[in-house]
Amino acid sequence: MHREVPAKAAKPAPVLKWLQWQETVSTMNATQLSTVLEGMAQPGNANQLFYYGLLNQQSENYDGWVIARDTFRDLQADNTLTTKQKQLAGILERYNQSRINASYGQDELRKQNEELQQQLADLQEKNRLLEQKIQAITELESTISIRNGE
């Protein structure tokens, strides 16, 4: 009688585990993210580092995106990871860099807008003063005209 040995369940690829974590982290709200980040020890291995990067990526602040970008950049250079893990880290690094660039661009546009608004206010004030001067000159000319006519 021949006994069949059950096949071992295939262990999911490391990148699949990372993608599952990404899916989970993407549903966290700001309070959950903050709680997890505050309670998290310094990442000690690639999996912890990846999770740490995901948490920071999910935050809605510039500093978090910088941490995420740098974390994924470090993972991309880790030679112990699979090619797919490195590729995923590279994609996420570029994603966070694009968020950083967009935020920087928005800040620059906001500054330019504020400067233009100030210039507009200054020009409107100059215009108001010029109109007052024109009005004063017009009144002076009218007074002179009346006196000369007498």
Side-chain angles (χ1 to χ4, degrees):
M1 175 175 220
H2 179 62
R3 273 180 78 185
E4 283 189 36
V5 177
K8 282 188 175 180
K11 193 173 182 181
V15 74
L16 292 178
K17 180 171 36 172
W18 281 13
L19 288 170
Q20 290 169 344
W21 290 346
Q22 193 281 327
E23 186 176 336
T24 300
V25 169
S26 71
T27 64
M28 291 182 173
N29 63 38
T31 304
Q32 291 170 319
L33 283 170
S34 179
T35 301
V36 173
L37 276 168
E38 287 172 10
M40 188 173 190
Q42 186 68 23
N45 61 45
N47 285 332
Q48 292 170 356
L49 203 57
F50 182 80
Y51 192 68
Y52 179 70
L54 288 177
L55 293 170
N56 281 286
Q57 172 181 290
Q58 190 65 23
S59 72
E60 289 302 319
N61 67 63
Y62 183 89
D63 292 340
W65 303 335
V66 170
I67 291 169
R69 178 207 56 201
D70 293 347
T71 299
F72 294 127
R73 187 174 288 160
D74 290 346
L75 285 168
Q76 208 176 351
D78 186 337
N79 290 326
T80 65
L81 299 178
T82 68
T83 301
K84 289 185 180 190
Q85 284 175 304
K86 287 181 175 187
Q87 288 172 341
L88 178 57
I91 290 167
L92 295 176
E93 182 234 340
R94 288 186 299 279
Y95 168 71
N96 283 283
Q97 183 63 55
S98 69
R99 293 175 87 184
I100 291 165
N101 294 347
S103 177
Y104 179 78
Q106 288 173 348
D107 287 346
E108 288 301 306
L109 288 174
R110 189 174 11 265
K111 287 177 191 172
Q112 287 176 4
N113 184 41
E114 289 170 4
E115 290 170 5
L116 289 171
Q117 290 295 328
Q118 185 59 52
Q119 288 175 7
L120 176 62
D122 292 346
L123 289 172
Q124 286 173 330
E125 178 62 16
K126 285 179 181 178
N127 188 43
R128 187 185 66 75
L129 292 172
L130 282 173
E131 286 175 354
Q132 285 178 347
K133 288 178 183 178
I134 291 169
Q135 182 63 35
I137 290 170
T138 302
E139 289 171 6
L140 181 60
E141 286 177 343
S142 177
T143 303
I144 292 171
S145 176
I146 291 172
R147 285 189 185 162
N148 287 340
E150 290 177 1

